[in-house]
Amino acid sequence: MTDREIWEKTLADLQSKISAASFKTWFSETRLTRKSDDHFEISCPNQFAKVKIEGSYLETIRQTLGREAKISLTITEKKESGKPTAGQALGPLFKTFEAGGEAKGWERSGPKHLSNLSPHYTLENFIVGSHNRLAFAMAAAVAKSPGANANNPFFLYAAVGLGKTHLVQAIGNEVIKNHPNLPVLYTTSENFTNELIESIQRRTQNSFRKKFRDVGVLIIDDVQFIAGRESTQEEFFHTFNALFLAQKQIVITSDRNPREIARLEERLTSRFGGGIMADIQNPDLDTRLAILQSKTRHLNLEIAPAILELLATRIQTNIRELEGGLKQVVNLMLSQNGQIDLATVESLLGPRATLRHGELPNPRQVIAAVASYYAVREGDLLGPRRLQSLVKPRQLAMYLVRRLCQLPLMKVGELLGGKDHTTVMHAVGKIEKALGSDERLKQDIFNIQKRLEVFA
Ligand code: ADP
Ligand code: MG
């Protein structure tokens, strides 16, 4: 068999064992070269793929190549400049700046229409993946024929930051585009409640009712907040019925399924479930990457693919946080003339994103990773000897245990062989200061974090 055939067979085998998204992300540009009988070299398109394959897939690969196979990994050298290669800084990243050098488009600062819609939220710039495909299809159908029987009401639910507001505002904007005479009104359930209370106090309930009933499309965002508020629910029930009977479109979002909203009246629960309903799940890695790419294109910025991959791999919570991470990177790039490397992004992300949701590494693992990275014995690292070769690993171990495990200084001291908390404070301060200028140190931290399998 040729190298290529061997690799194709291996890939086919892998493909059947791992998720399609992981397969595509990590193996799409890999190649195999046979160096000797039992020595194979896999070239990976970037450092992420290399780390990921090394950390997670070698055993599976050996199942095809043979248990004794010696496997080494390299990063494919790219001819074009500007592409990252092993150990290199990523070089200048901006291709063009927007006029004035300002990153625009982050804030919802567009001119407020009477409909309360922000023009930034459109169906076109809503990225569709498997996590939101159904919700998007329904939203598009609603926007096309608002008020049609089958679409009413449209109830959309998802956890925070996954695109509910974006998608329902996009419906509103699309309706305005296609049906300019159809009034659209967007409001949150909190605002609805406040206006209701105000109208009762000022005895302007008639105009309140008129405002919310004389519309073609009413969008109520975050309806869960009316739970437990009797008079709001009562008023909303009547608003709902009036609109429904007049075949006006009602669009509602919530952070959960209506059945799971405690203290929501049964008559509303059943109304909410009477039309079409969709949820949005967490986006997978490919989609997170696509979202980042789309946002950078929109900002007219060129950011190294490896940096986007890092963000997409590490920020798994929701899309708002993903955007937050990108925004941090862009701000840093702007302040550094577009020069930024992976290790800097890594330290920028910090432990918040280093870890999977809610998971902190075990301090023992952190200490072991530091010891093995600097090839010192764990006993020496924790011991009292003041050898020069131990100073940096020891300080770094304290810093990482403190940062990654988020432990108090005293506890860190205890874990590092009974050091005083002032010693820990001093060490953490030293590392933090050094991080401002010491590229080598940043790279070391990056590598150690990799060993902790933070990419898992
Ligand atoms: P929610 O209302 O569910 O809390 P948002 O609609 O406010 O979430 O979304 C948070 C951020 O993520 C917004 O800036 C939004 O534009 C963006 N976003 C969410 N989903 C997508 C998507 N599929 N494509 C593009 N941007 C998205
Ligand atoms: Mg929202």
Side-chain angles (χ1 to χ4, degrees), residues 108 159-166 168 186 188 221-222 253 320:
R108 307 171 183 184
V160 62
L162 291 177
K164 297 182 296 292
T165 298
H166 185 139
V168 296
Y186 166 94
T188 61
D221 206 356
D222 288 320
T253 79
R320 185 171 299 140

Side-chain angles (χ1 to χ4, degrees), residues 203-241:
R203 299 172 193 279
T204 52
Q205 267 168 292
N206 279 341
S207 59
F208 171 87
R209 291 198 175 123
K210 202 164 149 34
K211 173 174 176 183
F212 288 99
R213 293 178 196 187
D214 280 0
V215 296
V217 179
L218 178 65
I219 305 169
I220 303 275
D221 206 356
D222 288 320
V223 83
Q224 70 273 7
F225 292 120
I226 68 171
R229 294 174 179 272
E230 266 173 47
S231 50
T232 309
Q233 294 196 39
E234 170 83 21
E235 186 62 36
F236 188 65
F237 181 72
H238 294 301
T239 307
F240 186 102
N241 286 342

Side-chain angles (χ1 to χ4, degrees), residues 105-106 108 120-129 131-132 136 156-169 186 221-222 253-255 280 283 287 290-292 294-295 318-323:
W106 294 104
R108 307 171 183 184
H120 295 303
Y121 295 122
T122 62
L123 290 179
E124 287 79 28
N125 67 17
F126 189 79
I127 307 292
V128 183
H131 72 299
N132 62 13
F136 178 81
L156 174 68
Y157 65 97
V160 62
L162 291 177
K164 297 182 296 292
T165 298
H166 185 139
L167 192 55
V168 296
Q169 289 231 358
Y186 166 94
D221 206 356
D222 288 320
T253 79
S254 163
D255 65 349
I280 303 178
T287 312
I291 288 171
L292 289 175
S294 150
K295 306 264 167 191
N318 65 50
I319 298 168
R320 185 171 299 140
E321 290 200 14
L322 196 62
E323 283 186 351

Side-chain angles (χ1 to χ4, degrees), residues 388-406:
Q388 193 51 39
S389 60
L390 291 172
V391 172
K392 188 171 161 196
R394 202 175 268 154
Q395 286 179 341
L396 199 56
M398 292 183 193
Y399 169 81
L400 286 174
V401 170
R402 168 106 171 120
R403 289 272 312 270
L404 298 181
C405 312
Q406 294 172 24

Side-chain angles (χ1 to χ4, degrees), residues 254-389:
S254 163
D255 65 349
R256 68 205 91 160
N257 188 303
R259 284 194 311 276
E260 288 161 14
I261 306 176
R263 299 196 297 153
L264 184 68
E265 288 176 17
E266 167 56 30
R267 56 180 178 167
L268 280 177
T269 313
S270 69
R271 283 286 190 287
F272 290 170
I276 51 173
M277 204 182 286
D279 67 346
I280 303 178
Q281 297 290 327
N282 265 307
D284 61 19
L285 178 58
D286 280 349
T287 312
R288 294 200 296 274
L289 202 51
I291 288 171
L292 289 175
Q293 282 159 350
S294 150
K295 306 264 167 191
T296 49
R297 257 199 314 276
H298 177 71
L299 290 169
N300 211 10
L301 294 175
E302 176 97 343
I303 299 182
I307 287 184
L308 295 185
E309 275 173 29
L310 179 61
L311 288 170
T313 316
R314 297 272 298 278
I315 305 181
Q316 311 184 347
T317 40
N318 65 50
I319 298 168
R320 185 171 299 140
E321 290 200 14
L322 196 62
E323 283 186 351
L326 180 62
K327 189 175 179 176
Q328 274 185 296
V329 167
V330 170
N331 283 339
L332 195 71
M333 284 167 67
L334 288 170
S335 69
Q336 301 189 355
N337 282 333
Q339 298 281 344
I340 194 172
D341 61 18
L342 270 183
T344 312
V345 177
E346 185 78 24
S347 48
L348 184 78
L349 286 169
R352 169 184 66 86
T354 306
L355 306 157
R356 266 171 297 162
H357 211 35
E359 221 177 292
L360 298 179
N362 180 326
R364 292 264 149 250
Q365 287 171 333
V366 176
I367 293 168
V370 173
S372 93
Y373 183 76
Y374 287 108
V376 299
R377 261 189 257 128
E378 234 180 282
D380 290 339
L381 197 66
L382 305 183
R385 290 207 295 164
R386 292 173 178 272
L387 279 181
Q388 193 51 39
S389 60

Side-chain angles (χ1 to χ4, degrees), residues 3-146:
D3 291 352
R4 189 152 163 201
E5 284 162 352
I6 297 175
W7 193 227
E8 273 168 10
K9 182 164 175 299
T10 313
L11 289 181
D13 191 46
L14 268 165
Q15 203 168 10
S16 67
K17 291 182 177 141
I18 69 180
S19 82
S22 305
F23 182 79
K24 199 170 144 225
T25 312
W26 307 120
F27 291 96
S28 55
E29 283 174 55
T30 51
R31 275 185 294 114
L32 178 109
T33 321
R34 190 170 198 148
K35 294 285 183 191
S36 69
D37 244 9
D38 62 348
H39 180 194
F40 300 88
E41 187 181 87
I42 301 172
S43 2
C44 313
N46 55 47
Q47 208 168 4
F48 301 101
K50 179 169 179 279
V51 170
K52 185 68 195 180
I53 295 172
E54 231 162 15
S56 309
Y57 299 114
L58 281 191
E59 277 321 301
T60 322
I61 293 172
R62 277 206 185 87
Q63 287 169 13
T64 323
L65 296 183
R67 225 162 355 119
E68 303 302 310
K70 185 167 169 291
I71 300 172
S72 47
L73 289 100
T74 58
I75 294 171
T76 319
E77 294 286 333
K78 293 259 167 74
K79 291 279 181 305
E80 319 97 279
S81 61
K83 293 270 170 105
T85 51
Q88 273 182 3
L90 294 164
L93 296 151
F94 283 117
K95 214 198 236 157
T96 49
F97 285 92
E98 276 188 285
E102 268 275 293
K104 289 192 194 113
W106 294 104
E107 313 294 353
R108 307 171 183 184
S109 55
K112 288 276 179 288
H113 296 216
L114 287 174
S115 56
N116 295 332
L117 294 173
S118 155
H120 295 303
Y121 295 122
T122 62
L123 290 179
E124 287 79 28
N125 67 17
F126 189 79
I127 307 292
V128 183
S130 53
H131 72 299
N132 62 13
R133 196 176 304 284
L134 182 66
F136 178 81
M138 287 183 178
V142 168
K144 196 160 168 232
S145 344

